[in-house]
Amino acid sequence: MKARCAVVGCGRVGTSLVYHLNRAGYPVCGVASRSLSSAQKAAGLVPGTPFSIEAAEVTRDAEVVFITTPDDTIASVAGAIAKKGGFKDGVSVLHCSGSLPSTILAGVKETGALIGSMHPLQSFAGADLESNPFDSIIVSVEGDEKPVEIALSMASDLGAKGLTIETHAKTMYHAAAVVASNCFVTVQDMAWTFIRDAGVSEKDAWSVLGPLIEGTLANIKKVGPVDALTGPIARGDVATIDTHLNKISEMQPDLESLYKALCLHTVDVAKRKGTLNKDAEEALVKRLT
């Protein structure tokens, strides 16, 4: 028999866990949420599952408790459950925050609970539960030995690949994820703005830029970001960057500082690639700072 689980917090991540853990063979012994209707809706995905707005009522019999509330409430929610006797001795308490370490749950260890974190490196933007959001993704885990072992097994059963990370490195792990996903979207928004200013309609932007984006991603996958770098900075073309900056300052002045910051770091990448001579490097740095 797989571990009995309770889920506290019925947003997109918590609701997905309720449904897909059950499909993977994990009994769900209860769900709780600040909103009774949200708890009831999540419980309805596994008929007969108890639900409540009082988390301790559904966690007492669980062997694994997931705290999937917003980051700024995880510690207080876990503390409230502990205070009401909601954790049995030896239970594994896991939160799913990407940025916070397991140590924010340290207070519950006084009850005999063990702590960890289990973060699916995935964007839970939709509500389509039939499509498994855990399939083939990375799930990072850290914390006490037993919760880490359980989380790795769960990740595998959900169709994901578990990755054990050091607790002290959790913040940088999450920063990497933010840059890879969120900041990537921001950079693409800037590119969409520039291509629109070039006279290309938004509906045609992907047909113009998409092949370049996909080709770049394929190159990064194949040889890594440094060796995948091409373009004017990689070849030390100061005049082209100067032309860009002049036009951006005219048409999109609010984006000039972002373009400069990105290009300045690209100079460092080009240096590591070994394609930038000293004179070009100094000229670019001077123009970009």
Side-chain angles (χ1 to χ4, degrees):
M1 178 68 73
K2 293 181 178 179
R4 288 167 55 81
C5 302
V7 177
V8 180
C10 297
R12 290 188 292 267
V13 174
T15 299
S16 293
L17 280 171
V18 170
Y19 184 70
H20 290 287
L21 282 173
N22 179 71
R23 293 190 71 180
Y26 291 87
V28 180
C29 61
V31 299
S33 190
R34 183 174 56 183
S35 162
L36 187 62
S37 61
S38 295
Q40 184 176 18
K41 183 177 179 180
L45 298 172
V46 183
T49 300
F51 60 93
S52 178
I53 59 172
E54 292 292 338
E57 293 180 0
V58 302
T59 60
R60 289 190 177 97
D61 294 329
E63 296 166 276
V64 178
V65 176
F66 284 96
I67 310 292
T68 56
T69 61
D71 285 11
D72 59 357
T73 65
I74 290 172
S76 61
V77 167
I81 296 171
K83 191 173 183 179
K84 295 179 181 179
F87 295 132
K88 68 179 183 179
D89 187 51
V91 65
S92 292
V93 183
L94 296 164
H95 72 69
C96 294
S97 168
S99 61
L100 298 174
S102 58
T103 48
I104 66 164
L105 298 171
V108 308
K109 298 187 76 168
E110 296 177 0
T111 68
L114 301 172
I115 60 173
S117 72
M118 176 178 168
H119 177 247
L121 195 55
Q122 173 66 291
S123 174
F124 287 78
D128 178 16
L129 291 173
E130 287 302 320
S131 177
N132 181 6
F134 302 97
D135 186 40
S136 301
I137 69 167
I138 292 293
V139 172
S140 67
V141 303
E142 53 84 23
D144 293 333
E145 183 177 355
K146 180 183 175 183
V148 164
E149 290 177 357
I150 291 173
L152 289 172
S153 293
M154 284 182 167
S156 178
D157 290 337
L158 288 167
K161 180 179 179 181
L163 172 68
T164 304
I165 62 175
E166 297 293 332
T167 298
H168 68 83
K170 187 73 180 288
T171 299
M172 292 306 292
Y173 153 84
H174 190 251
V178 167
V179 172
S181 177
N182 309 147
C183 294
F184 177 76
V185 171
T186 299
V187 169
Q188 294 311 311
D189 180 69
M190 183 167 70
W192 254 241
T193 300
F194 290 172
I195 204 71
R196 185 185 66 229
D197 288 343
V200 177
S201 67
E202 186 168 346
K203 68 181 179 64
D204 294 325
W206 178 257
S207 64
V208 175
L209 296 173
L212 177 62
I213 295 166
E214 291 174 336
T216 302
L217 290 174
N219 288 338
I220 292 172
K221 182 178 180 180
K222 184 177 180 180
V223 299
V226 173
D227 286 336
L229 181 66
T230 61
I233 293 177
R235 59 178 181 265
D237 187 348
V238 183
T240 294
I241 298 302
D242 192 57
T243 301
H244 290 178
L245 289 170
N246 290 336
K247 184 58 68 173
I248 291 168
S249 67
E250 174 191 334
M251 300 191 70
Q252 295 293 340
D254 290 345
L255 293 175
E256 183 179 6
S257 61
L258 176 57
Y259 185 82
K260 282 185 173 181
L262 290 169
C263 287
L264 191 60
H265 187 70
T266 305
V267 170
D268 181 66
V269 178
K271 284 170 58 182
R272 284 182 276 147
K273 186 176 182 180
T275 61
L276 198 58
N277 66 51
K278 192 65 176 177
D279 289 342
E281 176 193 339
E282 290 177 354
L284 283 165
V285 169
K286 182 178 181 180
R287 185 65 177 89
L288 294 167
T289 53

